[in-house]
Amino acid sequence: MKEPLTFALAKGRLLDETLPLLHLLGIEPVEPLTGSRKLMFETNRPDVRLLVLRATDVPPYVERGGAHLGIAGKDTLMEYDSDGLCEPVDLGLSKCRLMTATRVGATLPDTGRITVATKYVNVARRYFASKGRQIDPIKLYGAMELAPLVGLSDVIVDVVDTGNTLKANGLEPRELIAHSSARLVVSRVAMKTRYQQIAPIISQLQQWADTNACH
Ligand code: AMP
């Protein structure tokens, strides 16, 4: 039998929002996806299995054939920046904004390099280059908000939802880099080799996205 269609999901806040979509697709995991150390799950459909990965690992798994398709935030996809992936459906979930932020009232030097703390180093580099600024990026994996407060960086680039986290840490949003939301992501290879299995998933999710009231 052909290897099951492998669907990569991001753990964390996006996973909770993804579960109703799986249900809609008639895909039911045979055991709960959260609360265990397992990473691969069988489903009620013998032709479909699920991987539960770190959000940033979804694009490389899908691109390199570890999974055929997945769900990932646009922020993560922008940072990964691959030609090997297509994004057939904007699911409109997990909406947020990729923004620059500084200490409240801080002024940035007009010229010269600025130091940017972020987990989105590629996004930051491209954004500031488009403004004619070179940056010294500092790659962090969390607690970006602290960096300007302790003098580690001039600016951070991070995703912002309500802005409460910035505010609670004496920072303010400055420039909008991009809007983000969760996307169905499919490798270009799987789009060809697994088209029969993937096409109905795309059309069901597109239909759901089109009719979902919160868009
Ligand atoms: P907020 O305080 O509502 O602006 O949320 C900001 C915090 O939540 C930051 O630490 C972000 O990294 C994280 N965050 C907000 N929205 C998202 C999202 N859609 N995906 C991932 N992380 C997010």
Side-chain angles (χ1 to χ4, degrees):
M1 197 179 79
K2 206 154 78 163
E3 183 187 282
L5 187 76
T6 306
F7 204 143
L9 307 175
K11 61 174 96 167
R13 68 173 76 194
L14 190 50
L15 187 57
D16 297 335
E17 296 188 79
T18 305
L19 295 179
L21 293 184
L22 291 180
H23 184 71
L24 177 93
L25 295 169
I27 299 169
E28 308 286 355
V30 297
E31 58 189 303
L33 298 180
T34 52
S36 91
R37 288 174 177 271
K38 278 186 76 163
L39 304 169
M40 187 155 73
F41 296 85
E42 309 300 320
T43 73
N44 61 323
R45 287 176 48 174
D47 61 329
V48 180
R49 69 181 172 193
L50 305 172
L51 306 183
V52 179
L53 307 173
R54 225 173 223 270
T56 48
D57 289 343
V58 171
Y61 265 79
V62 174
E63 183 192 32
R64 300 300 186 109
H68 300 102
L69 72 173
I71 293 179
K74 183 66 183 172
D75 56 332
T76 306
L77 292 164
M78 284 173 68
E79 178 63 14
Y80 191 68
D81 193 28
S82 162
D83 290 340
L85 298 172
C86 41
E87 299 166 29
V89 186
D90 180 352
L91 298 166
L93 299 172
S94 211
K95 284 187 175 174
C96 57
R97 290 158 292 151
L98 260 166
M99 300 204 67
T100 66
T102 63
R103 290 176 75 159
V104 172
T107 49
L108 294 177
D110 288 335
T111 55
R113 284 174 176 262
I114 44 178
T115 314
V116 182
T118 186
K119 61 179 173 187
Y120 302 96
V121 168
N122 296 327
V123 169
R125 229 188 230 120
R126 283 200 303 271
Y127 175 72
F128 283 101
S130 77
K131 304 257 155 200
R133 297 296 305 254
Q134 287 203 314
I135 63 167
D136 279 328
I138 302 174
K139 170 93 179 177
L140 296 179
Y141 294 88
M144 258 75 72
E145 296 84 6
L146 191 57
L149 304 184
V150 296
L152 195 65
S153 75
D154 302 308
V155 182
I156 65 168
V157 167
D158 197 8
V159 290
V160 178
D161 181 11
T162 61
N164 290 340
T165 306
L166 293 180
K167 201 168 171 190
N169 289 290
L171 303 183
E172 62 183 1
R174 301 293 282 258
E175 290 160 34
L176 174 70
I177 300 176
H179 289 276
S180 176
S181 54
R183 310 292 161 99
L184 177 70
V185 54
V186 184
S187 74
R188 293 200 186 279
V189 173
M191 200 64 129
K192 291 189 188 126
T193 58
R194 297 288 186 133
Y195 188 74
Q196 299 289 345
Q197 282 172 296
I198 291 174
I201 293 177
I202 293 175
S203 66
Q204 278 175 296
L205 291 180
Q206 187 62 64
Q207 219 167 19
W208 177 86
D210 288 344
T211 54
N212 195 299
C214 67
H215 283 201

